Amino acid sequence: MATFLYRLGRFSFRRRRLVLALWIAVLAALGIGMFSVSAHTSSSFAVPGTQSQKAQDLLKKQFPQASAGGATARVVFEAPEGQKLTSGAHRSEVESLVGELKRASQVANVVDPYTGGTVSRDGTIAFAQVTYKVTDSDVTDRAREDVKKVAEEGREAGLVVSMGGSAMREGIHQGVGEVIGILVAAVVLAITFGSLIAAGLPLLTAVAGVITAISSITIASAFIDLSTQTSTLALMLGLAVAIDYALFIVSRYRDELGQGRDPEEAAGRALGTAGSAVVFAGLTVVIALAGLSVIGIKLLTDLGLGGAFAIVVAVLLALTLLPALLGFTGTKIASGRFKTRRMRALERGEGESTGVRWSRLVLRKPLKALGVCVTGLLVLGIPFLSLQLALPDDSTASPGSTQRIAYETIAKGFGPGYNGPLAVVVDARGSDDAPAAAKEAAGMLEKLPDIVSVSPAAFNPSGDVALIRAVPGSSPTSQDTVDLVSAIRDQGPHLQEDTGAQLMVTGTTAINIDTSSKLNAALFPYLSIVISLAMVLLLLVFRSILVPLTATLGFLLSVLATLGAVVAVFQWGWLADMLGIEQASPIVSVLPIIMVGVVFGLAMDYQVFLVTRMREEYIHGAEPREAVIAGFRHSGRVVTAAAVIMISVFAGFMLAPDALMKSVGFGLAVSVLFDAFVVRMTIVPAVMALLGRRAWSLPAWLDRMLPNMDVEGERLRHLLDDPMTSTVPAGAELVGVGVGSSSATVDAILDGYTRAHHTDAATSGEANVHSQADAPAPSRQRRPKLPRLPKLGRSRARDADTDTVDPSEPKAAGAKEAVQDPQ
């Protein structure tokens, strides 16, 4: 892995104009394609296998006039104060407006309030139920405008008119949240690097990644039906992750330049080390997101695959476009006007960074730090015990919106249950007397305690399937309505035993209840699958059992605290005004499982970036505690910057009007806060200190079974820095491989090394690590001229690791004489 990425980094750096041109061509092609197709998205929550979905499918086939699955709207009329809608000019106006609704675009049926019984008892409120020929996602802007025109005419006539229903929910539009996130990211990057050039490269690759992902998803939506929120989640994740991945590689590139390496060599080594961590970090996110497809809910499948695609694009850009851009900046990226005095002192090796001081503080009393953090996260997770789930409807719309006004007006005039009537389907195809079966079903419904009205049964053309409309006494999202749906379904076996007919409940309310139930049931199996797959991946990365186990347990703590915070803010209303939450309501049903997938992937990102550097130091001979401190010394500042950037990007999505995206943005921002700063930067080093060398132990039999993925680039570094001690083919020219070596020479040696290196990778890697004390006196040799790097210059800094040749070793064929460095 590291060897391949090293070559890829040098190739992209050397052929930067070609790589840049290819990516520009890809972006141009996707841009043209995006504006040439008609996107098609859906906001429906189809849940295959549930009773409500089976009933929907039956109605579509046997009851076409019901327009099952079609979008719905409610146009609510309210008379001026002191007047009524039941007589006079107001009734004539309402009947005229209903006639216009029947002629509106895409409308299949309109229930007149005066013939359908939807006029309140006091005659002040009425509503017309509109059913469309198409689903929610296919309702056109013209169809919505026709309804809005009717509403405006009613207002001009002196009525109070509002509109609700699924057909009135327009698609999600991106706002200023993303812009705010990018601006904050730019400031953080400039502070972290002290350079506008270094800060600009991660932003540039992130923008390219977002354009690529969103354009591809838009083009795909023209051929397949994708959920409305797919592109939004892909944008959220792609933007944050792409910046982070580029940030780690740029930081490593600057470190390599600081050690005196030529720019091309620095790019290769940056990809061979930090690039390997990026690949495996990206894989954990992809596994977690793609795993959402196993649940069997289309919305989650679309969100998961869309987000996973955005992550893949971010990784590809970090591994190809970024080193090409580094080729255009060269050594300029290492300098900057915004470096503080402290940053310059740290670069000179003077003083200690904040990350080092923090790690020493944690390691001083690791048990105490561990206890405080674990207790705090558990306390924050307490609200999770009162979690209530529901899908968004008009009751969760913004206060003052026409959907919210329509919902509240209907509840005032008829009762809350009229906002979520139940569609009870009687499948009497197996019954000898269909009318009698439907009558008995209606009688069963009337006897249930929370039913306020039951409409007469309506039959399909063949007369063997009946549809009964039952109105609950409670709101669609209340527990009483959930219990009522369960009670109706409990009557099904009795009806089938008596009449041979099947009883099913469907409609928006029942579908929402079934969706929440299935999501609850799928949460723990999904969590088990994702954790198992990621544990295997982390086992390969860290070659340890306890480190992946610690990472996983830390994730569980952070996700528990995150869900607790979401419940406290969105369901209980804590800090709602401060955070711009307009009202408290049940949590969106899909949020917990989305949070589990996304948070797990992001948590493993920080685990990989921080702990791989610790392992790199440990296998180079550092003591366990010193390895932890060294990991913070090299990665602490970058991980902190990455976490702040990700929090800013996610928090920006709290400005979205959509309830799901608002809660997801808050949840992800809080999860990164907990996981990065509490778990990864406090709990993990405390546990590592308590475990000591045991943290890195691995049974010998398992060590032999696992392939060495060389995520830290140990074999690559050993080959490049200590070539004379490597196992290489006879005749390989190793002298001269180091800073400034030509890519042809390095590639030839890497080819020979790969063919000859058949011994156990982990054993050979550790056995060939030499301490500075054992190294021979440094010597200098001529460096080959670096090809194809005009105007980038060559570092004059001396690198003892790459320029050292052991005088006791025989010279390889064709090697030049080494000139001793005068002391």
Side-chain angles (χ1 to χ4, degrees), residues 64-79:
Q65 69 269 32
S67 295
T72 60
R74 288 184 294 273
V75 181
V76 185
F77 307 97
E78 186 173 9

Side-chain angles (χ1 to χ4, degrees), residues 2 252 269 272-274 276-277 540-543 611-617 619-620 696 708-717:
R252 190 61 182 250
R269 291 189 180 228
T273 51
S276 298
L540 294 175
V541 173
F542 297 118
R543 304 191 70 79
V611 181
T612 49
R613 198 62 187 254
M614 297 179 188
R615 184 175 188 273
E616 183 177 346
E617 297 297 328
I619 62 178
H620 288 161
W696 305 109
N708 190 346
M709 307 307 296
D710 194 25
V711 178
E712 302 86 1
E714 170 59 23
R715 282 189 292 173
L716 174 66
R717 177 174 174 175

Side-chain angles (χ1 to χ4, degrees), residues 746-761:
V746 173
D747 287 346
I749 295 174
L750 289 175
D751 283 334
Y753 177 80
T754 302
R755 289 193 298 269
H757 208 73
H758 294 304
T759 59
D760 180 75

Side-chain angles (χ1 to χ4, degrees), residues 95-110 130 132-133 142-143 146-147 150 153:
E95 289 176 339
S96 174
L97 294 175
V98 170
E100 290 189 38
L101 286 174
K102 292 179 179 179
R103 296 188 295 272
S105 177
Q106 297 182 309
V107 169
N109 183 41
V110 178
V130 183
Y132 287 83
K133 302 174 184 178
R142 178 187 172 187
D146 288 346
V147 178
V150 170
E153 291 178 2

